[in-house]
Amino acid sequence: MSTLSEEEKNKYLKELFEFLKLPSVSADSKFSDYMNTTASWLSNELSKSGCDLVNIYETNGYPIVYGEKIINPSYPTILVYGHYDVQPPDPLELWTSPPFNPIIKKTDIHPEGAIFARGACDDKGQVFMHVKAFEQLIKKDKLNCNVKFMIEGEEEVGSENLEKFLLDNKSKLDADVILISDTGLSDLKNPTFTVGLRGLSYMEVKLTGPNRDLHSGTYGGTLANPINILSELISSLIDKKGRIAIPGFYDDVVEIEKSKRDIIEEKSIFNIQKFKNSLGLAELKGEEGYSTLERKSIRPTLDVNGIWGGYIGEGSKTVIPSEAYAKISMRLVPNQNWKKISELFKNHIKNITPETVSVEVSTHHGGNPYVTPEDFKGYESAINAYRDSFGVEPIPQKDGGSIPIVPMFESILGIKTVLMGFGLDSDAIHSPNENFGVKNFFMGIETIQNFYKHFGS
Ligand code: BES
Ligand code: MN
Ligand code: MN
């Protein structure tokens, strides 16, 4: 149930549309002007919504938007984190409406409408819920916590400059909880509450064979084709049981007892058939001995994100390529360390590469996994907030995605994180036709206000 008037709802959607129209793509430098426009647009919104102090902090990359309202230094402080950068919209031709021209359309999943635009759910729509929840609390004279907003512009490219910002601004960022809406929930009837994120280690492999591309007739059969070798290397990384075959990879993984896993499974409303249908798949695949829900949350994974080399243009060209490339990422679980895993990966690839090619392995970025502890006020306040808004007990569940900065809030600032996300798996984040349910947006605004109510009491 939303406590917003129709007029407020329309106004908030209209404002969100302005935000979504700005193409703040962090991965592609041709959008860099828009990154600054978006940061100043957002800082202006923070001022309008009631922040007393607003600043745009320059970094070596894109700026960080900061805003705060300190009503009483002895009250609890909530630090809201989110990101205003979005993923590139490609492939453009698969969008049914332009990615930076937001529009509300009714869908089977969202009969009351969903906002279609890049960033609608990840993360502009969800950041904006916080701005509006804060505005509402002030308007109703119910703000009972100090608030700090820290909205960055580089989450989708690894948050590389945010660590320094945390280290340099420890006292400014002091707070009692970090509150983030950048994840999802199962559905609005039986919502899950995200209590964990996986870590990430993102690597790139380059194999070089002959010193130039060769005629595959003249030279074929005499030397190693780097793409063939790369395929062999990649297929050796996961064994028949779906386990990752890098020595030492599982050494630090904390195994969860079967009895605990069974309880999670029992509480869950995850439906395998629906999951398969939503993906157009007849069968699934994964690590032996674990359910699909476990495979997508509490188990580590290894995936090739892209592989290229040789001729990929129209028609055919007979060629043995000189080079072959792959981008490979690993999702990590407690208590794996992404830097250690990146080293293991690097050494293993070097060890198994034959002398017929040369190899280079580099690290893109990474982050450690995170688990929200149960024994602190933020956790309890979140549970209560969901209960107030949805009328049911939320189901705690770990999510498979990653937000690399979250474990650093703990290690650098000593602050625990609450993840209150309102997206659905079907929102197509990072994909064409990203969308965010209008109802999810308003439920988010409601639930965030309820979180303040409990956390500040
Ligand atoms: N908001 C997502 C993370 C997410 C999505 C967590 C859904 C849980 C459920 C975030 O913007 C993201 O895309 N993170 C990246 C990592 C980043 C370093 C590019 C990811 O998880 O791939
Ligand atoms: Mn995000
Ligand atoms: Mn994302």
Side-chain angles (χ1 to χ4, degrees):
M1 254 288 290
S2 178
T3 55
L4 299 176
S5 69
E6 285 310 304
E7 196 187 336
E8 283 169 327
K9 285 184 177 176
N10 289 333
K11 177 167 173 280
Y12 292 180
L13 285 172
K14 215 174 125 210
E15 290 166 351
L16 173 59
F17 277 26
E18 285 178 29
F19 196 13
L20 294 171
K21 277 181 187 160
L22 302 168
S24 49
V25 179
S26 52
D28 186 344
S29 60
K30 77 169 183 277
F31 293 92
S32 64
D33 284 352
Y34 287 109
M35 294 303 289
N36 294 311
T37 318
T38 309
S40 49
W41 184 88
L42 183 59
S43 68
N44 194 29
E45 286 301 303
L46 286 178
S47 303
K48 283 199 291 184
S49 69
C51 283
D52 295 329
L53 184 128
V54 176
N55 252 321
I56 295 180
Y57 288 93
E58 296 300 329
T59 69
N60 284 330
Y62 292 124
I64 294 163
V65 180
Y66 179 85
E68 66 174 38
K69 185 171 183 72
I70 308 296
I71 50 170
N72 184 332
S74 69
Y75 287 6
T77 302
I78 298 176
L79 174 55
V80 175
Y81 163 82
H83 59 97
Y84 66 82
D85 65 321
V86 301
Q87 287 277 326
D90 320 59
L92 283 171
E93 65 280 11
L94 295 184
W95 285 78
T96 53
S97 56
F100 299 109
N101 193 3
I103 175 172
I104 294 177
K105 287 186 258 189
K106 294 196 165 88
T107 68
D108 289 347
I109 292 164
H110 297 292
E112 64 298 303
I115 307 150
F116 281 76
R118 173 56 89 229
C121 171
D122 186 11
D123 184 30
K124 286 172 165 174
Q126 300 213 66
V127 162
F128 208 58
M129 296 179 324
H130 281 272
V131 180
K132 294 296 126 179
F134 169 68
E135 184 179 308
Q136 277 288 312
L137 288 169
I138 295 179
K139 195 167 163 186
K140 296 186 281 196
D141 198 21
K142 282 188 177 167
L143 187 67
N144 59 350
C145 297
N146 301 310
V147 191
K148 297 177 177 177
F149 289 93
M150 182 179 70
I151 315 297
E152 70 153 320
E154 297 186 298
E155 196 277 342
E156 298 292 8
V157 289
S159 301
E160 264 155 312
N161 294 295
L162 195 57
E163 180 176 5
K164 185 174 181 300
F165 186 75
L166 298 191
L167 288 166
D168 292 348
N169 295 281
K170 280 190 200 174
S171 61
K172 168 187 274 306
L173 300 174
D174 188 34
D176 298 287
V177 67
I178 310 277
L179 184 60
I180 304 177
S181 297
D182 192 23
T183 53
L185 41 64
S186 46
D187 61 57
L188 295 177
K189 284 203 189 82
N190 286 294
T192 47
F193 160 45
T194 302
V195 294
L197 293 166
R198 285 196 282 199
L200 179 74
S201 162
Y202 202 125
M203 312 294 293
E204 184 159 329
V205 178
K206 174 187 181 188
L207 296 187
T208 309
N211 57 11
R212 61 202 151 89
D213 288 1
L214 301 172
H215 189 287
S216 64
T218 314
Y219 292 94
T222 68
L223 47 85
N225 176 325
I227 299 184
N228 291 31
I229 302 287
L230 185 58
S231 318
E232 282 173 31
L233 293 185
I234 288 171
S235 51
S236 77
L237 293 177
I238 297 179
D239 73 12
K240 289 268 172 297
K241 294 185 164 175
R243 293 196 41 109
I244 295 153
I246 299 173
F249 185 86
Y250 291 93
D251 282 2
D252 298 327
V253 172
V254 190
E255 295 287 338
I256 303 172
E257 288 161 49
K258 185 79 174 89
S259 60
K260 277 195 184 159
R261 287 166 45 197
D262 288 344
I263 295 173
I264 295 171
E265 208 70 28
E266 205 179 292
K267 277 195 192 163
S268 164
I269 55 152
F270 179 74
N271 181 310
I272 262 216
Q273 197 51 50
K274 272 195 193 158
F275 184 72
K276 282 189 202 168
N277 292 349
S278 75
L279 300 172
L281 288 171
E283 272 316 319
L284 300 172
K285 187 173 167 13
E287 186 183 3
E288 237 178 71
Y290 295 92
S291 70
T292 299
L293 183 64
E294 290 169 337
R295 290 167 180 171
K296 74 195 281 294
S297 58
I298 59 162
R299 297 301 296 165
T301 60
L302 182 149
D303 278 288
V304 181
N305 297 256
I307 178 165
W308 71 104
Y311 184 69
I312 51 166
E314 196 179 323
S316 64
K317 175 188 179 192
T318 50
V319 63
I320 296 174
S322 162
E323 293 166 351
Y325 298 81
K327 291 186 193 283
I328 301 175
S329 68
M330 292 160 281
R331 297 281 169 176
L332 311 176
V333 300
N335 143 68
Q336 287 179 299
N337 176 287
W338 80 273
K339 288 189 175 154
K340 183 172 169 190
I341 293 293
S342 303
E343 270 318 291
L344 289 178
F345 178 91
K346 209 175 256 186
N347 293 336
H348 180 64
I349 295 289
K350 286 184 177 165
N351 284 339
I352 62 171
T353 303
E355 277 172 24
T356 49
V357 293
S358 59
V359 62
E360 281 169 55
V361 187
S362 54
T363 308
H364 278 286
H365 54 71
N368 286 332
Y370 185 73
V371 177
T372 302
E374 291 174 26
D375 56 351
F376 92 113
K377 182 138 192 198
Y379 188 97
E380 186 199 309
S381 304
I383 299 274
N384 288 329
Y386 282 96
R387 206 189 281 122
D388 287 354
S389 305
F390 296 90
V392 292
E393 190 74 13
I395 307 160
Q397 199 167 91
K398 286 182 181 153
D399 204 302
S402 311
I403 307 175
I405 201 66
V406 170
M408 288 186 218
F409 289 136
E410 177 93 69
S411 63
I412 299 175
L413 303 176
I415 313 173
K416 298 175 178 54
T417 293
V418 167
L419 300 156
M420 280 186 121
F422 297 90
L424 301 183
D425 281 355
S426 55
D427 289 348
I429 63 171
H430 295 205
S431 301
N433 304 311
E434 176 175 352
N435 63 93
F436 189 37
V438 169
K439 206 166 166 183
N440 294 58
F441 175 64
F442 293 129
M443 279 308 266
I445 297 176
E446 216 54 43
T447 313
I448 292 164
Q449 294 181 67
N450 287 329
F451 179 86
Y452 278 74
K453 180 178 84 186
H454 291 287
F455 195 72
S457 72

